[in-house]
């Protein structure tokens, strides 16, 4: 004879158990299934997509009427069980009793309601079943106001769902950050920021005092006096096991219905299953362990040995576009260690918690691709000591070394976009390489990939490396310095994209690994910021190398050199006299004519700098910036004014250019030369920017070098008038300022981005003008003499205290 | 116990910067970090005598302006591959004033 199996609760756990039973032994039981909800088993997890409108109820039904009918299940839906008569083995609903041989209690949980005034007002709902979901859908019309109390998993899914339907949603959370049970504060912060971007207001540390309203909910009042108007309030502050029936029946109940490893209660005929149970002191709120219970209970009921062993659970928040993963345990405890990875630029945060040699918890935000892999490590409890150094980078780096750094690129489909500027996809690059383009330059020429801003160069090279294999040797692009994993190019891009306007903001938001940066990144950041935000950013003197901080070149003995500007290499007797006077007055040991057509006063003491500057200022001279990553000199030749071969006023143009460009900061030093004819007496063709005057106009060439490397310039454009030459040069300078990496001279940068791209920018009249305009905007701030400014505070240049006089020492010491 | 000498107001030293104090046996650089700690050490790099007070201060380290050696401000020890050390002196802040240990006045290791 078939046994009579009665099940109370047609939820996710019992549904799974029935599937196992019917699969293993279709004829073992006559099943009666009670459910308080007027429906059978559906996927409760998916209520959130139903709420947000991404799914319909019909799509989330697990077992429909047909399923139950085929298995002969007596469905008593909408018929809550009100009593269990253990002595006679009968359960009762209001419709009468049903006898059982075996009874399964799978009543799930009941939402916990805050015991505040107004909690029973119409318009206050929990988030547990389809009715609650429907109430929220009905209320969440565009413009309606909804308040969600509780910033945990459920509350946030409710909030996001209603927000997706156009409601104005406020989340009130008691704790300091959202989802504090699954997330640590850093991940909570990222989550809050993402929700706020969707228009959801988040109020943390908010304690609800009362729900206000007369016939219906109208507002929520907090302890701190804040009120939020509300057409609907969803309370999602927690759940507790639904144990009322079990309690009344005198079964052993702690926080939940107590069950053994076999899911048996203290009554051998009665079993517990799902969120309503307590197993070895533990409660359950996620489905994964419940499914394990269902399997064990099915086996138990069918007389097979099985034991329930709780497994670790992992959480993902089901809000489209929010990537969050948390698993295991991450409470602070002695003996636990953290490994943290941040990439705030991408909104990525990962934290692993280690105890001894095991991984016991993981929190990930923004990039959860490796979640499953970490989760597996947590579940197996394997020794991760050997992987520790690279553990946080996930499976791609497992084993202590990069398994294949190209894997991520290899995994991209052919249509994945590599170069954003030119819309070049991976497939196009692979094709170009197959067609014979084996160098970066060639790929650029054929596809235009990385031919614009150049920031995708690394990716393009990886695609090439994949296609060419060992034959390809990419140009290295290491991170800026040991303080960050970002390259210079990425940092520049992120500063602009994220409107970062101070060094601390960059370090915070881009996840600097050191607290104050280093001598290598700080000057670079200072330059990038002042270049991108001339009006908002204040130059940080302490982030400059000594020469730029002191506006003079430091010498090997700690003295300084002073080089006043001599515009275009032209001077006057008055200037020469002032220089001579200063040299004598400050006992300058060496006066030298420089290779840059001006005069250098070498060996000046630091404390004399303000005074010598003042004297030179008084004679109308300004700093020559012989020390700066900025405009140095514009060398000229005599040109048409005196020279028998001169075609244009090269001296005059040089002076004008120097007056246009002086004071500007550039990625590295910038030197110009203007020659009056192709004989090139000003050596213009080995400068960063050189002008050769010809009968028909001006040949502007760029990217020369005559220092550590020697290289001839290449023609950028030829223009007819002096005004055009000035505009083209201002524009090119700005292009260099905005795009080059710190400390790269023009020729290095041009080699990276390609002269063709630079030319295209300068030849296009609109782009050229916009660049020249931006340069002029910046110059409105920076075309000033630093000497005049600094000389005003001579005290800053002297020792702060002088303890070399015995009297002072005695006086000061106590 | 050594005595301390009041040398300057804290704000006379720029954050992430240094000022120099003259003593009979050479200059002492007094550094102020981003988080307002003060450190003092001889203003002479053991490499080639660079003025450490002119270096870039980052965290509790300074990079020599001449050839880029890095020193820990608390210990005076050269970092990384370089070896060498700079004599340090006790310094502290009291009521917005910077106090420097008078040990800086005593004879230094040559
Ligand atoms: C004073 C001067 C030599 C002279 O007595 O003529 C000079 C002096 C120095 N040069 Fe120069 N360079 C001087 C013209 C040049 C020139 C010629 C020119 O400008 O026409 C070059 C080759 C052109 C070029 O720059 O490509 C030149 C290529 C360099 C380089 C190599 C740069 C490169 O990228 O290859 C350095 C090293 C550096 O910058 O890293 C350098 C660095 C220096 C420094 C700043 C070294 C330093 O860091 O302390 C020297 C500073 C001395 C001082 O205290 O004043 N100097 N230097 C010249 C100053 C010109 C001026 O009026 O401003
Ligand atoms: C909106 C939402 C999203 C969720 N998201 C996730 C998620 O992403 N991941 C995850 O792991 N978990 C999630 N959960 C939790 C998961 O849904 C539950 O852990 C799971 O449904 C519990 O299964 P159960 O069978 O124990 O209880 P339930 O599925 O709640 O089923 C219990 C059933 O018993 C009925 N019942 C109660 N008392 C009686 C009675 N006296 N007589 C008759 N019937 C009764 C109830 O009406 C109910 O239908 C979510 C829950 C909700 C509400
Ligand atoms: S290059 Fe020759 S012609 Fe031209 S200006 Fe110089 S000297 Fe005169
Ligand atoms: S003198 Fe300090 S590093 Fe050379």
């Amino acid at each position: 004879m078939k046994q009579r199996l009665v099940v109370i609760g047609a939820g996710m756990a019992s549904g799974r158990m029935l599937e196992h039973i019917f699969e293993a032994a279709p004829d073992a039981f006559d099943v009666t299934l009670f459910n308080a909800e007027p429906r059978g088993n559906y996927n409760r997890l998916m209520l959130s997509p139903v709420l947000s409108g991404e799914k319909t109820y019909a799509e989330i039904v697990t077992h429909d009427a047909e399923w139950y009918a085929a298995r002969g299940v007596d469905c008593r839906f909408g018929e809550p069980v009100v009593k269990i008569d253990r002595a006679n083995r009968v359960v009762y609903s209001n419709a009468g009793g049903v006898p059982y041989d075996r009874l399964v209690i799978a009543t799930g949980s009941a939402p916990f309601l805050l015991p505040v005034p107004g909690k029973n007002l119409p318009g206050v709902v929990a988030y547990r079943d389809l009715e609650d979901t429907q109430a929220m859908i009905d209320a969440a019309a565009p413009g309606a106001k909804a308040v969600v109390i509780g910033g945990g998993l459920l509350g946030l899914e409710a909030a996001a769902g209603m927000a997706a339907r156009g409601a104005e949603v406020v989340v009130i959370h008691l704790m300091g950050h959202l989802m504090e049970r699954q997330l640590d504060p850093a991940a909570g912060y990222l989550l809050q920021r993402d929700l706020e971007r969707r228009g959801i207001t988040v109020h943390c540390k908010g304690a609800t005092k009362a729900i206000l309203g007369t016939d219906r909910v109208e507002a929520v009042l907090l302890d701190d006096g804040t009120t939020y108007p509300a057409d609907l309030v969803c309370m999602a502050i927690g759940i507790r096991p639904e144990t009322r029936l079990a309690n009344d029946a005198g079964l052993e109940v702690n926080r939940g219905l107590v069950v053994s490893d076999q899911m048996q209660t203290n009554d051998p005929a009665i079993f517990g299953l799902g969120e309503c149970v307590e197993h070895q002191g533990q409660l359950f709120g996620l489905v994964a362990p419940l499914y394990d219970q269902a399997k064990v209970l099915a086996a138990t009921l069918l007389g097979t040995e099985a034991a329930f062993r709780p497994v670790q659970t992992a959480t993902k928040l089901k809000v489209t576009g929010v990537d969050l993963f948390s698993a295991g345990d991450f409470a602070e405890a002695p003996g636990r260690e953290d490994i943290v990875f941040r990439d705030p630029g991408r909104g990525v945060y990962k934290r692993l918690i280690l105890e001894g040699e095991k991984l016991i918890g993981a929190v990930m935000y923004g990039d959860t691709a490796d979640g499953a892999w970490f989760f597996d490590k947590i579940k197996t409890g394997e020794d991760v000591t050997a992987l520790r150094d690279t553990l946080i980078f996930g499976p791609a780096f497992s084993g202590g070394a990069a398994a294949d750094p190209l894997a991520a690129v290899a995994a991209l489909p052919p249509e994945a976009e590599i170069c954003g500027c030119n819309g070049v996809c991976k497939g196009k690059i692979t094709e170009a390489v197959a067609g014979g383009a084996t160098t970066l330059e060639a790929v650029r020429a054929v596809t235009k990939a990385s031919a614009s801003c150049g920031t995708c160069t690394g990716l393009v090279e990886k695609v090439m490396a994949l296609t060419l294999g060992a034959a390809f040797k990419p140009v290295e692009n290491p991170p800026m310095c040991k303080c960050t994993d970002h390259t210079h190019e990425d940092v520049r891009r992120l500063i602009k994209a994220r409107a970062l306007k101070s060094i601390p903001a960059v370090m915070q938001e881009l996840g600097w690994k050191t607290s104050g940066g280093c001598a290598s990144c700080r000057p670079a950041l200072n330059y990038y910021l002042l270049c991108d935000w001339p009006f908002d950013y204040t130059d940080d003197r302490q982030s400059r190398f000594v020469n730029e901080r002191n506006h003079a070149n430091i010498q090997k003995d700690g003295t300084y050199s002073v080089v006043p500007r001599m515009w275009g290499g032209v001077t006057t007797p008055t200037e020469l006299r002032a220089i001579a006077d200063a040299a004598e007055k400050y006992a300058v040991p060496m006066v030298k004519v420089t290779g840059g057509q001006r005069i250098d006063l070498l060996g000046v003491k630091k404390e004399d700098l303000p005074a010598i500057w003042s004297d030179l200022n008084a004679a109308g001279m300004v700093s020559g910036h012989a020390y700066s990553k900025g405009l140095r000199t514009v060398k000229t030749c005599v040109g048409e004014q005196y020279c028998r071969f001169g075609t244009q006023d090269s001296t005059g143009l040089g002076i004008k250019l120097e007056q246009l460009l002086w004071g500007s900061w550039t990625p590295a030093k910038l030197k110009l030369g203007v020659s009056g004819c192709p004989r090139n007496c000003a050596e213009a063709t080995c400068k960063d920017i050189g002008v050769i005057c010809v009968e028909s106009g001006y040949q502007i060439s760029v990217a020369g070098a005559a220092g550590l490397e020697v290289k001839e310039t290449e023609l950028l454009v030829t223009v007819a008038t002096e005004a055009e030459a000035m505009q083209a040069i201002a524009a090119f300078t700005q292009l260099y300022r905005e795009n080059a990496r710190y400390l790269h001279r023009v020729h290095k940068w041009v080699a990276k981005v390609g002269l063709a791209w630079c030319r295209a920018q300068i030849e296009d009249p609109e782009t050229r003008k916009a660049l020249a305009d931006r340069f002029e905007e910046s110059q409105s701030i920076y075309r000033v003499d630093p000497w005049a400014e600094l000389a005003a505070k001579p005290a800053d240049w002297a020792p702060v205290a002088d303890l070399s006089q015995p009297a002072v020492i005695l006086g000061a010491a106590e | 116990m050594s005595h301390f000498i009041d040398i300057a107001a804290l704000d006379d030293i720029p954050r992430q910067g240094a000022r120099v104090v003259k003593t009979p046996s050479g200059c002492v650089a007094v550094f102020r970090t981003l988080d307002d700690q003060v450190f003092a050490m001889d203003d002479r790099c053991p490499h080639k005598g660079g003025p450490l007070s002119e270096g870039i201060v980052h965290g509790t380290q300074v990079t020599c302006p001449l050839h880029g050696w890095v020193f820990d401000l608390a210990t005076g020890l050269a970092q990384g591959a370089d070896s060498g050390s700079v004599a340090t002196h006790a310094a502290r802040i009291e009521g917005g004033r910077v106090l420097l240990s008078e040990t800086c006045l005593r004879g230094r290791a040559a």
Side-chain angles (χ1 to χ4, degrees), chain A residues 586-788:
Chain A
Y586 300 99
V588 171
M590 161 100 125
V591 181
K592 184 183 179 302
V593 173
T594 74
Q597 299 187 340
R598 48 202 188 162
I599 293 174
D600 194 348
L601 303 163
L602 293 134
V604 181
K605 288 198 281 300
K606 185 183 176 191
E607 50 263 53
D608 285 342
L609 287 174
I612 194 169
W613 292 340
S614 293
D615 288 4
L616 294 169
N617 275 167
M621 282 177 276
V622 296
S623 166
H625 296 90
Y627 45 79
S628 75
K629 311 291 173 229
L631 180 80
R632 297 287 182 92
T633 55
V634 181
K635 282 171 68 165
T636 68
C637 74
V638 288
E640 76 169 344
Q641 233 185 326
Y642 294 96
C643 176
R644 63 197 170 113
F645 294 118
T647 61
Q648 312 277 356
D649 180 10
S650 53
T651 319
L653 176 57
I655 292 171
K656 282 184 201 148
L657 283 170
E658 193 165 346
Q659 285 173 343
L660 173 76
L661 302 172
W662 80 289
S664 62
W665 298 102
T666 45
K669 53 192 173 187
L670 186 69
K671 298 177 176 181
L672 278 72
V674 185
S675 289
C677 85
R679 287 168 192 77
N680 193 20
C681 299
E683 298 166 331
T685 53
C686 61
K687 293 287 175 269
D688 297 293
I689 303 176
V691 181
I692 302 286
C693 302
V694 289
E695 286 296 346
S696 58
Y698 304 81
Q699 295 171 345
I700 301 170
S701 62
V702 297
L708 301 164
E709 266 177 69
V710 180
K711 178 179 170 290
E712 195 183 336
T713 51
E714 296 172 74
L715 186 68
L716 181 71
V717 284
T718 303
V719 295
T721 67
E722 206 178 73
E724 286 172 287
M726 306 254 306
Q727 193 196 40
I729 288 171
F732 180 79
T733 303
Q734 184 67 7
L735 194 65
Y736 170 54
R737 296 180 76 232
E738 289 178 2
N739 291 284
R741 166 195 299 205
Y742 189 61
L743 298 186
H744 269 190
R745 290 287 287 265
V746 166
H747 70 92
K748 276 205 176 160
W749 164 67
V750 169
K752 286 191 75 184
V753 298
L755 184 65
W757 178 71
C758 296
R759 188 180 296 128
Q761 310 306 302
I762 304 305
E763 277 177 346
D764 176 56
E766 261 172 55
T767 313
R768 179 174 66 229
K769 179 167 184 311
L771 282 164
D773 287 351
R774 286 204 293 281
F775 181 70
E776 193 47 43
E777 269 175 20
S778 170
Q779 282 295 76
S780 70
I781 307 281
Y782 286 105
R783 198 183 278 128
V784 290
D785 179 24
W787 286 357

